[in-house]
Amino acid sequence: MVLSYSARLIDALRAAGLKLTPQRLAVVEALQGDQSHPTALELHERLRARFPMMSVGTIYNTLDALTRIGGCRELQMGGSTRFDPNVDRHDHAVCERCGSIRDVARSPGGPEPGCELAGFQVEHVERIYRGICASCGGAS
Ligand SMILES: [Zn+2]
Ligand SMILES: [Zn+2]
């Protein structure tokens, strides 16, 4: 799903007191097309060729504004914060060898957000499948 959230992003950045700069738009674009669930530092690494002056702080505050308007999701995985442009309900498969993370469709069944589980109100459901990816010799 490709989101066109420029107008909402402008609002979000304004609300956060940030200016809509070419750098911030580049962060949005880079994340939109990325299925690797990059960290802020990985995005910074990638964008530095085009924007040598870009600071990591710019990446962080842009991602933060995006997250707040629901333009991306934050994932805590392997001790780092990753960003996911896919905000549809889905699960993740993580390779134990190379650490790659890919999206997998949510399989039906199991608790859903909004249901009650053992006296606990479920708000988010995150499922992580761990295994070996195709390029590391797992199932293709
Ligand atoms: Zn792998
Ligand atoms: Zn994902």
Side-chain angles (χ1 to χ4, degrees):
M1 182 178 77
V2 179
L3 285 174
S4 167
Y5 38 61
S6 306
R8 290 172 64 208
L9 179 73
I10 292 168
D11 288 345
L13 291 176
R14 203 175 280 146
L18 303 173
K19 282 205 194 97
L20 192 76
T21 60
Q23 281 96 327
R24 293 207 171 97
L25 278 178
V27 174
V28 177
E29 278 168 21
L31 184 67
Q32 263 182 325
D34 197 312
Q35 295 181 3
S36 71
H37 305 82
T39 63
L41 288 178
E42 282 166 1
L43 285 173
H44 184 242
E45 198 60 41
R46 228 168 288 170
L47 290 167
R48 230 170 26 180
R50 265 169 72 203
F51 299 98
M53 306 297 278
M54 188 188 280
S55 73
V56 183
T58 299
I59 309 264
Y60 275 114
N61 60 35
T62 306
L63 291 172
D64 187 56
L66 257 188
T67 304
R68 266 181 282 149
I69 61 164
C72 74
R73 269 192 353 182
E74 257 185 47
L75 297 175
Q76 301 298 333
M77 246 179 231
S80 53
T81 304
R82 299 179 166 277
F83 293 88
D84 191 346
N86 183 355
V87 293
D88 290 338
R89 216 173 263 188
H90 66 282
D91 295 317
H92 291 105
V94 182
C95 178
E96 304 268 60
R97 292 204 187 140
C98 68
S100 69
I101 302 167
R102 52 171 290 190
D103 288 347
V104 289
R106 164 88 31 107
S107 22
E112 288 295 333
C115 78
E116 204 187 294
L117 194 64
F120 187 87
Q121 178 73 36
V122 176
E123 287 182 0
H124 305 283
V125 177
E126 290 176 28
R127 276 183 215 140
I128 300 174
Y129 302 95
R130 296 188 187 277
I132 310 294
C133 77
S135 28
C136 290
S140 56

